Amino acid sequence: MVKIGIADTTFARFDMGKAAIDELKRNCSAQIVRYTVPGIKDLPVACKKLFDEQHCDIVMALGMPGSKPVDKTCAHEASMGIIICQLMTGRHIIEVFVHEDEAPDARELAALMEKRAREHALNVVKLMFKPKILEKEAGTGQRQGYEDVGPARI
Amino acid sequence: MVKIGIADTTFARFDMGKAAIDELKRNCSAQIVRYTVPGIKDLPVACKKLFDEQHCDIVMALGMPGSKPVDKTCAHEASMGIIICQLMTGRHIIEVFVHEDEAPDARELAALMEKRAREHALNVVKLMFKPKILEKEAGTGQRQGYEDVGPARI
Amino acid sequence: MVKIGIADTTFARFDMGKAAIDELKRNCSAQIVRYTVPGIKDLPVACKKLFDEQHCDIVMALGMPGSKPVDKTCAHEASMGIIICQLMTGRHIIEVFVHEDEAPDARELAALMEKRAREHALNVVKLMFKPKILEKEAGTGQRQGYEDVGPARI
Amino acid sequence: MVKIGIADTTFARFDMGKAAIDELKRNCSAQIVRYTVPGIKDLPVACKKLFDEQHCDIVMALGMPGSKPVDKTCAHEASMGIIICQLMTGRHIIEVFVHEDEAPDARELAALMEKRAREHALNVVKLMFKPKILEKEAGTGQRQGYEDVGPARI
Amino acid sequence: MVKIGIADTTFARFDMGKAAIDELKRNCSAQIVRYTVPGIKDLPVACKKLFDEQHCDIVMALGMPGSKPVDKTCAHEASMGIIICQLMTGRHIIEVFVHEDEAPDARELAALMEKRAREHALNVVKLMFKPKILEKEAGTGQRQGYEDVGPARI
């Protein structure tokens, strides 16, 4: 049975992990293991542990970088670590980051975090169970959390 | 028989993978395997999997970074991962990125994406089958998607 | 018995290591080993040594980046090293950085450094002994050194 | 016999590889192997291949980053890859990059590219055959392509 | 007997390696091996070689980044390489970088380079022979090349 890891943070202002787990359960049959860490810079090793210690096949890394310049740097460092972790393990980590300044207020921020978490959960389902759907969607301007942009035509 | 991997994304707004595959088929005899992932940050591990699981000899990584500052950071992270993946495997990944803001409108964007994908496919053919041609073109100001700039002369 | 490493610097202007050790001792029963290095760029290998030579289960890396642009770059480099070290060892390093320009004067700087060191020490305790508490706090906007921001509500 | 690898690109606007090889041949007795790739981001793995497959003792990586911001990012990524490659192999890669905007026109650009390639070829000769000369030049403000700056005196 | 490596460059405008060696000899009994390379981007692999081929226990990496933006990028790349090298070997590299624009003129630049090299040599002595002194100096605002800033008090 496929095992999906959920790594998330106490720093984020919405429980994206819960939304992702709910969406996964609605759309596939998989074992789910969750691991919550303080902040986004703790996510890379959290993913590594989910692969090494929990034997996950794929991991979602959910976080909310803050709005200050130092937060942008943290997000970049976390993302680099998440990419290196994937190269070390040969397995996908679907990064779901919502920047705190992507939304004008707390209500829209929470809505965006929920939407993006759910839509990326569907990407996990496609990667693990229906890769041919992704191939069909190649180059079609898919977005997560926002409306799809759609393809550009010559 | 040479095996060429094609890694591309659903985020991109033109099917560069299809264009690359068409160009490869016109210009060489090789086995081609395609793997589509959600976004450019998923490309490094997609390439790693194409090498490790599919035993590709070379991979093309095709993506379209968006126009916002955060998209530029994502492109940088993806590129670093693609370089590290090449160092881990000792094999080439030809990165074909077209930034969404390289073209003034959707029509020209799509045309640029197709052109660059096709011209880099020819680079793959040269690297695998005709390395002496590349040596002859050394220092001649070749470009992909745009007109060649040509050499500077003393 | 859990072994916790404390890596800190002589560059910092407050003894965060001492504060962290005090807080750890109040809240858990663990063996603690301390290793002080000159600056934050020496922290990644200090952590590596605490894992490899001292067999620590987790490490706190405490430092105070200066306020000049070059200091920000140093902090970024140190953070990347700390993330890579975690991926190499599969163990957590809780990074506790206080930027010198986060506080308006020396008195508030010292207070912030003490507070953040103590609050991150509690994160270490949770990670090692009470991971279920972190899971309950997922997405609740926890902060270290400042007031918690709290969750965003839809 | 010492084996020197020459990695260069078709993107560059002057044949620095040819200049480097000519200078090497005038100044030492070594086997030289050349490998041309499309752009600077292909150089790190080109070097890795020259070490692993061609058993080179040292490599020169010659490239010309363009003048746009995205080109500066590419140069940074290539340089990081070149440094990581050196750490993986324990062998020197002498990076010879000339930025397209270092010179006011094509004629001076070509002259600078030739000069820097030749002067760095001499550094390769020193590293492999005459390391004591480098030690004597330590801290003397050597430059490649431009006039030496010379030492600062107390 | 402890073996200390000294990696420095011909690009720098003051012989920091000589100053560091002099200071080390005055303050400890150790075997010293020196390795001079062209520029700071050659330092990471120089350190790797000093560890792997010369079996050094610790290395000092001394360099002078220039004042242009491209020099700042080079310094960042060199620093990242130096940190990665430390993580690969589990040994300290004390980076001693003086930026050319830290001093208003050549005379003060040379004085700063000498002072910082000597003071970091003392850090090497402490790390190898007197680690308890560093622990006592934790959080006391030590600086190298400039006056110590001292601790911030609550």
Side-chain angles (χ1 to χ4, degrees):
Chain A
M1 192 187 223
V2 167
K3 195 169 180 181
I4 302 173
I6 301 292
D8 64 349
T9 70
T10 66
F11 183 97
R13 296 181 60 200
F14 181 80
D15 192 346
M16 287 196 284
K18 189 177 158 196
I21 290 169
D22 180 70
E23 195 69 27
L24 288 172
K25 286 195 174 158
R26 286 171 193 264
N27 289 281
C28 71
S29 175
Q31 193 182 347
I32 295 173
V33 52
R34 183 173 184 170
Y35 184 31
T36 305
V37 292
I40 50 172
K41 282 158 97 167
D42 305 306
L43 286 175
V45 76
C47 297
K48 189 69 162 51
K49 281 171 162 283
L50 285 166
F51 287 129
D52 291 353
E53 299 171 14
Q54 302 289 335
H55 311 291
C56 289
D57 299 292
I58 189 167
V59 169
M60 294 182 74
L62 308 118
M64 184 205 74
S67 55
K68 288 178 289 182
V70 70
D71 298 316
K72 303 305 179 193
T73 305
C74 289
H76 169 52
E77 291 154 359
S79 292
M80 277 310 307
I82 285 169
I83 286 174
I84 295 170
C85 182
Q86 291 175 83
L87 291 173
M88 289 169 86
T89 58
R91 294 194 194 126
H92 279 289
I93 299 170
I94 296 300
E95 182 193 292
V96 188
F97 279 6
V98 175
H99 288 252
E100 198 173 3
D101 51 358
E102 274 190 76
D105 57 43
R107 215 174 57 92
E108 287 196 36
L109 177 66
L112 177 59
M113 289 171 81
E114 168 145 33
K115 194 151 185 262
R116 190 168 292 158
R118 289 188 180 276
E119 292 190 24
H120 266 306
L122 296 180
N123 276 332
V124 169
V125 174
K126 291 176 193 167
L127 276 167
M128 297 310 291
F129 301 99
K130 311 164 187 169
K132 280 288 159 200
I133 293 186
L134 287 170
E135 198 178 313
K136 217 147 66 179
E137 294 176 341
T140 60
Q142 300 294 310
R143 296 295 176 272
Q144 290 79 35
Y146 297 122
E147 284 298 293
D148 294 338
V149 178
R153 298 184 201 280
I154 296 183
Chain B
M1 192 186 224
V2 167
K3 195 169 181 180
I4 302 172
I6 301 292
D8 62 349
T9 70
T10 66
F11 183 97
R13 297 181 58 200
F14 181 80
D15 191 346
M16 287 195 284
K18 189 177 158 196
I21 290 168
D22 180 70
E23 195 69 27
L24 288 172
K25 286 195 174 159
R26 287 170 194 265
N27 289 280
C28 71
S29 175
Q31 193 182 346
I32 295 172
V33 52
R34 183 174 185 169
Y35 185 31
T36 305
V37 291
I40 50 171
K41 283 158 97 167
D42 305 306
L43 286 174
V45 75
C47 297
K48 188 70 161 51
K49 281 170 162 286
L50 285 166
F51 287 129
D52 291 354
E53 300 170 14
Q54 302 289 336
H55 311 290
C56 290
D57 299 292
I58 189 167
V59 169
M60 295 183 75
L62 308 117
M64 184 206 75
S67 55
K68 288 177 291 182
V70 70
D71 297 315
K72 303 306 178 191
T73 304
C74 290
H76 169 53
E77 291 154 0
S79 292
M80 277 310 308
I82 285 170
I83 286 174
I84 295 170
C85 182
Q86 291 175 83
L87 291 173
M88 288 169 85
T89 58
R91 294 194 192 125
H92 279 289
I93 300 169
I94 297 300
E95 182 193 291
V96 189
F97 280 7
V98 175
H99 289 250
E100 198 173 3
D101 51 359
E102 274 190 77
D105 57 44
R107 216 176 56 92
E108 288 196 37
L109 178 65
L112 176 59
M113 289 171 82
E114 168 144 32
K115 194 150 185 264
R116 190 168 292 159
R118 288 189 180 276
E119 292 190 24
H120 267 305
L122 295 181
N123 275 333
V124 168
V125 175
K126 291 177 192 167
L127 275 168
M128 296 310 290
F129 301 99
K130 310 164 187 169
K132 280 288 158 200
I133 293 186
L134 287 171
E135 197 179 313
K136 218 148 65 179
E137 293 176 342
T140 60
Q142 300 295 308
R143 297 294 176 273
Q144 290 79 34
Y146 297 122
E147 283 299 293
D148 294 338
V149 178
R153 297 184 201 281
I154 297 182
Chain C
M1 193 187 223
V2 167
K3 196 169 180 180
I4 303 172
I6 302 292
D8 63 349
T9 71
T10 67
F11 183 96
R13 296 181 60 200
F14 181 80
D15 192 346
M16 287 195 285
K18 190 178 156 196
I21 291 169
D22 180 70
E23 196 68 26
L24 288 172
K25 286 195 174 158
R26 286 171 195 263
N27 288 280
C28 70
S29 176
Q31 195 182 345
I32 296 172
V33 51
R34 183 173 183 169
Y35 185 30
T36 305
V37 291
I40 50 171
K41 282 158 98 168
D42 306 306
L43 285 175
V45 76
C47 297
K48 190 69 162 50
K49 282 171 162 283
L50 285 166
F51 287 129
D52 291 353
E53 300 171 13
Q54 303 289 336
H55 311 292
C56 289
D57 299 292
I58 189 168
V59 169
M60 294 182 76
L62 308 117
M64 184 205 75
S67 54
K68 289 179 289 183
V70 70
D71 298 316
K72 303 305 178 192
T73 305
C74 289
H76 169 53
E77 291 154 0
S79 291
M80 278 309 307
I82 285 170
I83 286 174
I84 295 169
C85 182
Q86 291 175 82
L87 291 173
M88 289 169 86
T89 58
R91 293 195 193 124
H92 279 288
I93 300 170
I94 296 300
E95 182 193 292
V96 189
F97 280 6
V98 176
H99 288 252
E100 198 174 3
D101 50 359
E102 273 189 76
D105 58 43
R107 215 174 57 92
E108 288 195 36
L109 178 66
L112 177 59
M113 290 171 81
E114 169 146 31
K115 194 150 185 263
R116 190 169 292 159
R118 288 188 181 276
E119 293 190 24
H120 266 306
L122 295 181
N123 276 332
V124 168
V125 174
K126 289 176 193 168
L127 276 167
M128 296 311 289
F129 301 100
K130 309 165 188 171
K132 280 290 160 196
I133 293 185
L134 287 171
E135 197 178 313
K136 218 147 66 177
E137 293 176 342
T140 60
Q142 301 293 310
R143 296 294 177 272
Q144 290 79 35
Y146 297 122
E147 284 298 294
D148 294 338
V149 178
R153 297 183 201 282
I154 296 182
Chain D
M1 192 185 224
V2 167
K3 194 168 182 180
I4 302 172
I6 301 292
D8 63 348
T9 71
T10 66
F11 183 97
R13 297 182 57 200
F14 181 80
D15 192 346
M16 287 195 285
K18 190 177 157 196
I21 290 168
D22 180 69
E23 195 69 27
L24 287 171
K25 286 195 174 158
R26 286 170 194 266
N27 288 281
C28 71
S29 175
Q31 193 181 346
I32 295 172
V33 53
R34 184 174 183 169
Y35 185 31
T36 305
V37 291
I40 49 171
K41 282 158 96 167
D42 305 307
L43 286 174
V45 76
C47 297
K48 188 71 162 51
K49 283 171 161 285
L50 285 166
F51 287 129
D52 291 353
E53 299 171 14
Q54 302 290 336
H55 311 291
C56 289
D57 299 292
I58 189 167
V59 169
M60 294 183 76
L62 308 117
M64 185 205 75
S67 55
K68 288 177 291 183
V70 70
D71 298 316
K72 302 306 178 191
T73 304
C74 289
H76 169 53
E77 290 154 1
S79 292
M80 276 311 307
I82 285 170
I83 286 174
I84 295 170
C85 182
Q86 291 175 84
L87 292 173
M88 288 169 85
T89 58
R91 294 194 192 125
H92 279 289
I93 300 169
I94 296 300
E95 182 193 292
V96 190
F97 279 8
V98 176
H99 289 251
E100 199 173 3
D101 51 358
E102 274 190 78
D105 57 43
R107 216 175 56 91
E108 288 195 37
L109 178 66
L112 177 59
M113 289 171 82
E114 168 144 34
K115 194 151 186 263
R116 189 168 293 159
R118 289 189 181 276
E119 292 190 25
H120 267 306
L122 296 181
N123 275 333
V124 168
V125 174
K126 291 176 192 168
L127 275 168
M128 297 310 290
F129 301 99
K130 309 165 188 171
K132 280 289 159 199
I133 293 185
L134 286 171
E135 196 178 314
K136 219 148 65 179
E137 293 177 342
T140 60
Q142 301 294 309
R143 296 294 176 274
Q144 290 80 34
Y146 296 122
E147 284 298 294
D148 294 337
V149 178
R153 296 184 202 280
I154 297 183
Chain E
M1 192 184 223
V2 167
K3 196 169 181 181
I4 303 172
I6 302 292
D8 63 348
T9 71
T10 67
F11 183 97
R13 296 181 59 200
F14 181 81
D15 192 345
M16 287 195 284
K18 189 177 157 197
I21 291 168
D22 180 70
E23 196 68 27
L24 288 172
K25 286 196 174 158
R26 286 171 195 264
N27 289 281
C28 70
S29 175
Q31 194 181 344
I32 295 172
V33 52
R34 184 174 183 170
Y35 184 32
T36 305
V37 291
I40 49 171
K41 281 158 98 168
D42 306 306
L43 286 175
V45 76
C47 297
K48 189 69 163 51
K49 282 171 162 284
L50 285 166
F51 287 128
D52 291 353
E53 300 171 13
Q54 302 289 336
H55 311 291
C56 290
D57 299 292
I58 189 168
V59 169
M60 294 183 76
L62 308 117
M64 185 205 75
S67 55
K68 288 178 291 181
V70 69
D71 298 315
K72 303 306 178 191
T73 304
C74 289
H76 169 53
E77 291 155 0
S79 291
M80 276 311 306
I82 285 170
I83 285 174
I84 295 170
C85 182
Q86 291 175 82
L87 291 173
M88 289 169 86
T89 58
R91 293 194 194 125
H92 279 289
I93 299 169
I94 296 299
E95 181 192 294
V96 190
F97 279 8
V98 176
H99 289 251
E100 199 173 2
D101 51 359
E102 273 189 77
D105 58 44
R107 216 175 56 93
E108 288 195 36
L109 178 65
L112 176 59
M113 289 171 82
E114 168 145 33
K115 193 150 186 265
R116 189 168 293 160
R118 288 189 182 275
E119 293 190 23
H120 266 306
L122 295 182
N123 275 333
V124 168
V125 175
K126 290 176 194 168
L127 275 168
M128 297 310 290
F129 300 99
K130 309 165 188 170
K132 281 290 159 196
I133 293 186
L134 287 170
E135 197 178 313
K136 219 149 64 180
E137 293 176 342
T140 60
Q142 300 294 310
R143 296 294 176 274
Q144 289 81 34
Y146 298 122
E147 283 298 295
D148 294 337
V149 177
R153 296 183 203 282
I154 296 181

